[in-house]
Amino acid sequence: WETCWFKVELSIPLAWAGREVHFVWESDGEGMVWRDAQPVQGLTKEGEKTSYILTRSLKESEPHSLTLYVELACNGLFGAGKGSMIAPPDPDRRVTLNKAELVVFNRDVYELLVDMEILLDMARLLGEENQRSFQALYAANQMVNVCDVTDPSTFPAARDLAAAIFSQRNGESQHTIHAMGHCHIDSAWLWPYEETIRKCARSWVTVIRLMECNPELTFACSQLRLISVLWQAQQFEWVRSWYPGLYAQILDFVAKGQFIPVGGTWVEMDGNLPSGESMVRQFLQGQQFFQEQFGRICSEFWLPDTFGYSAQLPQLMRGCGIQRFLTQKLSWNLVNTFPHHTFFWEGIDGSRVLTHFPPGDSYGMHGLVEEVLKTVKNNKDKGCVNHSAFLFGFGDGGGGPTQKMLDRMKRMSDTDGLPRVQISTPDQLFSVLEKESSQLCTWVGELFLELHNGTYTTQAQIKKGNRECERILHDVEVLSTLAVAQDSVFQYPASQLQRLWRLLLLNQFHDVLPGSCIQLVVEDALQYYTEIRRIGAGLQEEAVQSLCRDLLQPKAGSTKSTLVLNTLPWERTEVISRPGPDGTETLALVTVPSMGYALVREPLLPSQPVSVRKQEDGSITMENGVITVCLDTMGRLTSLQLLDSERSSVPDGCYANQFALFDDVPLYWDAWDVMDYHLETRKPVTTLLKPLEITLGGGLRGSVRFSLQVGKGSTLTQEIILDATCPYLRFLTQVEWKEAHKFLKVEFPVQVRSTNATYEIQFGHVQRPTHWNTSWDWARFEVWAHRWMDLSEHGFGVALLNDCKYGASAHRNVLSLSL
């Protein structure tokens, strides 16, 4: 991602008067042409953009000598992977400039070639049973006969033959394709955040040039990728700050209705892992930005490339002014083909949104005959709706639409034998789908992607940072709000909180939070989490000082006390650690009211203290009057009993808290995937480094610790804690991970029988089957959850909680957490 600048001095020969003149540049690095200190054209060989049009018809009054600058990035459209696209970047990669030329462009020849391409594709793809394929073939043959490549005067006659085919119109019942320019740009993926800023500029300035020559072109700008329909607010903010001249041009085309803001969120976030509050903030920050910059909020939510979609999203969309949703990622399903392309999607509260998957199963079409035919043939809702989306343009690494894509579709706009193709907008598409929606089916619940299940677990530090920072920002906002309510002098830290939220939301981009990005991106993300923690801690301290100023000033003669705050909306009784008189940590049992505080002077005494007993065989029993647990020397639970129920939670002969190691060798997408066959490689972790020993002997808290060797070079140390009055057991786990292509889980077989397990999602929960009756069931061998999963039958159940994990599974009676 280094940069080379080239100064290019051009002198156009006078003999080229009246000709179309291009500056041609071919390199294996992404480039940008600058003219008069402004970006004017992106150059990307992989995106079929290798020239800058200097003039359509050279006039005597135009400058024949000029100076351009080319900014060349030392990376391609898809980064700089060593050996393969998704390999780590090659630090020794060299970029080559292959061509820099001043040329005359023969547009007549170009138009002939596009004509011929469309006709030959019609002949090849419409099939022998369709007479139009033969008509196209014979027209192409006649063009070859008529055209003399050495005599340009023969070109018009050849083009007339093609025009005769293209001018034969469709019937009224023909399917209509709504084509929209698109340029999906990942905010970070195989390149760092900073490179995305340049990708946006390269892609969007190219779109602006196309719009100047093609006033019918519409471009939908997609989040975190420069795709031509969806706008990610963060990307626009980057361009506004770094390229103000380009941004002003974009605003002009927004006003003309060609550059179309769609999307509504701050970034194109992961659709599963962000908390409910984070998702609300994604919409809040995104919609607020669009309202301020463009005078309106988005009515369509476009999330084409994330790895599944939470069942809570329809309710959140409707609450944020959005009734329409577009994606296509479920076309990547590895097992089951999703049964619809246009349907109503219903969330857990009954909220519904009109949902459309482009039937071509892509957001990067090239305007080919093959693609428009697939769009119609593949449509699973024929008869219900007669319109569909067609998103064209290079994507993921940016690039966007090209002139050739537009020229292909112009020839197919209304040609008998092909679907009708019209340049359209998201609003036009969804408006007509709404009119045709009376017979559409409804899909209830999550849109689960049967692929990329490994992204629930990849990059553990990112997952932990996200969860911790979500909690920190929650606490800062609760305490700051209470401080404002109580102290008129206290200033609510709105601007600081917005900045911290935007950093957190940026890291929730669908290749960052899932961990499917290069090391440079991970380092940036971890740095942002550190900043949120540091500044958040300071804001929290300021709020506490204001809120509890009097309580923090000990009065003369008063007993030393500890102030304990509870930022959750229910009363809590817990054992806490507080500094003692000699500086050491001491334990105290405290009760703190909902959203309140308590001053702890004399700690509570538990009705029954924790007892910890070591047995002759080395096993250890802990009990607190609520639950009792027995652990073997490897820290596995052989018994876990809720005393009131007189029922053991662990089946006889089974071990809970059993660590297991699996081989993790997916078919291709290494950081993304874990395949179902990994379950066949299960190896229990049984190599003991330090056997179970008592670390706290009871009273307010009992705890034990042990260490295991995991795989060839990794170690795991766990402390298991039981507090007084507490109905659950806590596991503090540290792993020094040095394995490659391995997957570590912890398993809890429980004595509960249920056909469904329950998992926390944003502001709610979903149930998923614990059996593999159908392909839809077993395709969910690895699923995602937030802070808890639960397996219950009538009157009894067991829940597994976590503070930083997302990957999970429940098969038959075994709850597994992916570490």
Side-chain angles (χ1 to χ4, degrees), residues 80-213:
K82 187 173 185 176
S84 78
M85 181 181 75
I86 62 172
D90 180 3
D92 298 319
R93 174 168 175 157
R94 296 294 180 267
V95 171
T96 304
L97 172 59
N98 301 304
K99 185 182 290 186
E101 295 179 350
L102 192 61
V103 302
V104 170
F105 184 76
N106 193 322
R107 189 155 293 278
D108 291 336
V109 172
Y110 164 83
E111 299 289 358
L112 268 175
L113 290 172
V114 178
D115 286 344
M116 185 66 76
E117 177 193 349
I118 299 297
L119 289 173
L120 292 179
D121 280 351
M122 289 175 66
R124 182 170 57 91
L125 297 166
L126 287 177
E128 290 189 6
E129 70 281 1
N130 191 323
Q131 68 172 7
R132 287 292 281 169
S133 68
F134 289 94
Q135 291 172 358
L137 179 62
Y138 281 103
N141 185 63
Q142 285 179 282
M143 287 175 66
V144 173
N145 293 337
V146 166
C147 182
D148 180 352
V149 295
T150 65
D151 182 2
S153 67
T154 63
F155 295 175
R159 292 214 61 207
D160 288 343
L161 292 167
I165 295 289
F166 300 143
S167 63
Q168 293 172 338
R169 301 305 179 204
N170 270 305
E172 290 185 11
S173 66
Q174 184 59 273
H175 187 91
T176 299
I177 287 174
H178 292 249
M180 292 164 262
H182 201 242
C183 169
H184 193 62
I185 300 177
D186 287 316
S187 289
W189 179 32
L190 303 174
W191 50 85
Y193 283 125
E194 194 167 358
E195 184 59 31
T196 306
I197 302 172
R198 297 201 294 182
K199 283 181 172 287
C200 289
R202 286 191 287 262
S203 300
W204 292 350
V205 75
T206 301
V207 169
I208 295 299
R209 295 289 84 78
L210 281 174
M211 287 179 174
E212 290 171 348
C213 301

Side-chain angles (χ1 to χ4, degrees), residues 391-410:
L391 309 180
F392 64 94
F394 288 94
D396 292 339
T402 67
Q403 185 64 54
K404 182 174 280 189
M405 295 175 191
L406 283 165
D407 291 337
R408 288 169 180 149
M409 289 184 291
K410 287 173 185 175

Side-chain angles (χ1 to χ4, degrees), residues 386-602:
N386 204 26
H387 296 257
S388 58
F390 185 90
L391 309 180
F392 64 94
F394 288 94
D396 292 339
T402 67
Q403 185 64 54
K404 182 174 280 189
M405 295 175 191
L406 283 165
D407 291 337
R408 288 169 180 149
M409 289 184 291
K410 287 173 185 175
R411 288 158 171 80
M412 294 186 281
S413 61
D414 193 6
T415 296
D416 184 26
L418 298 176
R420 188 177 287 108
V421 180
Q422 67 180 47
I423 300 296
S424 185
T425 68
D427 182 63
Q428 290 171 10
L429 167 68
F430 276 103
S431 293
V432 72
L433 290 178
E434 286 166 351
K435 292 176 183 176
E436 297 180 341
S437 65
S438 61
Q439 300 299 314
L440 291 178
C441 297
T442 297
W443 182 272
V444 179
E446 66 183 329
L447 296 174
F448 186 85
L449 178 64
E450 297 172 358
L451 192 69
H452 295 354
N453 318 58
T455 60
Y456 316 146
T457 304
T458 297
Q459 294 294 350
Q461 289 300 320
I462 284 183
K463 305 298 194 288
K464 184 175 183 179
N466 180 71
R467 185 78 63 80
E468 285 184 356
C469 290
E470 287 177 335
R471 178 184 57 76
I472 288 167
L473 292 178
H474 166 272
D475 288 355
V476 170
E477 291 188 332
V478 166
L479 295 168
S480 297
T481 303
L482 294 172
V484 165
Q486 179 175 295
D487 182 356
S488 60
V489 178
F490 181 80
Q491 293 292 310
Y492 188 84
S495 60
Q496 297 102 307
L497 279 168
Q498 174 167 279
R499 180 174 174 273
L500 297 185
W501 267 113
R502 286 184 171 183
L503 282 179
L504 179 61
L505 300 180
L506 177 61
N507 273 356
Q508 289 172 350
F509 177 67
H510 66 252
D511 278 312
V512 179
L513 180 54
S516 50
C517 53
I518 60 172
Q519 181 180 342
L520 276 174
V521 179
V522 174
E523 291 169 355
D524 284 344
L526 296 181
Q527 183 179 334
Y528 292 156
Y529 290 137
T530 299
E531 189 171 348
I532 294 169
R533 290 186 185 102
R534 178 180 59 80
I535 298 175
L539 294 176
Q540 181 171 296
E541 180 64 23
E542 291 173 13
V544 170
Q545 289 292 336
S546 173
L547 184 63
C548 307
R549 185 178 295 110
D550 294 339
L551 300 172
L552 295 170
Q553 304 291 334
K555 296 179 176 56
S558 64
T559 308
K560 184 175 177 60
S561 60
T562 302
L563 175 66
V564 184
L565 294 158
N566 176 16
T567 56
L568 295 180
W570 58 84
E571 181 180 89
R572 295 160 68 188
T573 298
E574 295 179 14
V575 175
I576 66 163
S577 179
R578 60 173 180 166
D582 57 354
T584 59
E585 294 287 311
T586 61
L587 300 176
L589 181 64
V590 301
T591 296
V592 187
S594 160
M595 292 288 188
Y597 69 89
L599 278 173
V600 181
R601 293 188 176 89
E602 295 299 325

Side-chain angles (χ1 to χ4, degrees), residues 65-79:
S65 297
L66 65 154
T67 300
L68 305 176
Y69 291 88
V70 176
E71 176 190 13
L72 182 64
C74 296
N75 51 271
L77 196 63
F78 294 97

Side-chain angles (χ1 to χ4, degrees), residues 286-357:
Q287 294 285 54
Q288 186 179 37
F289 181 87
F290 293 127
Q291 181 69 53
E292 291 172 355
Q293 294 296 314
F294 311 119
R296 69 174 187 86
I297 63 172
C298 298
S299 58
E300 298 91 6
F301 180 39
W302 292 58
L303 194 61
D305 190 35
T306 195
F307 312 141
Y309 304 87
S310 167
Q312 182 57 275
L313 272 169
Q315 182 180 5
L316 297 181
M317 283 186 241
R318 293 301 296 257
C320 297
I322 292 174
Q323 301 87 38
R324 303 157 166 180
F325 177 50
L326 182 143
T327 185
Q328 60 81 47
K329 198 64 178 184
L330 264 65
S331 66
W332 285 46
N333 272 8
L334 203 59
V335 182
N336 298 285
T337 301
F338 194 78
H340 301 293
H341 282 104
T342 306
F343 58 98
F344 285 104
W345 180 24
E346 185 174 303
I348 60 175
D349 75 322
S351 296
R352 296 202 312 170
V353 293
L354 179 59
T355 301
H356 181 67
F357 298 174

Side-chain angles (χ1 to χ4, degrees), residues 735-748:
V735 180
E736 186 71 26
W737 186 249
K738 297 180 180 177
E739 306 305 299
H741 293 106
K742 299 292 180 182
F743 195 177
L744 180 65
K745 303 184 184 184
V746 62
E747 301 169 342
F748 289 82

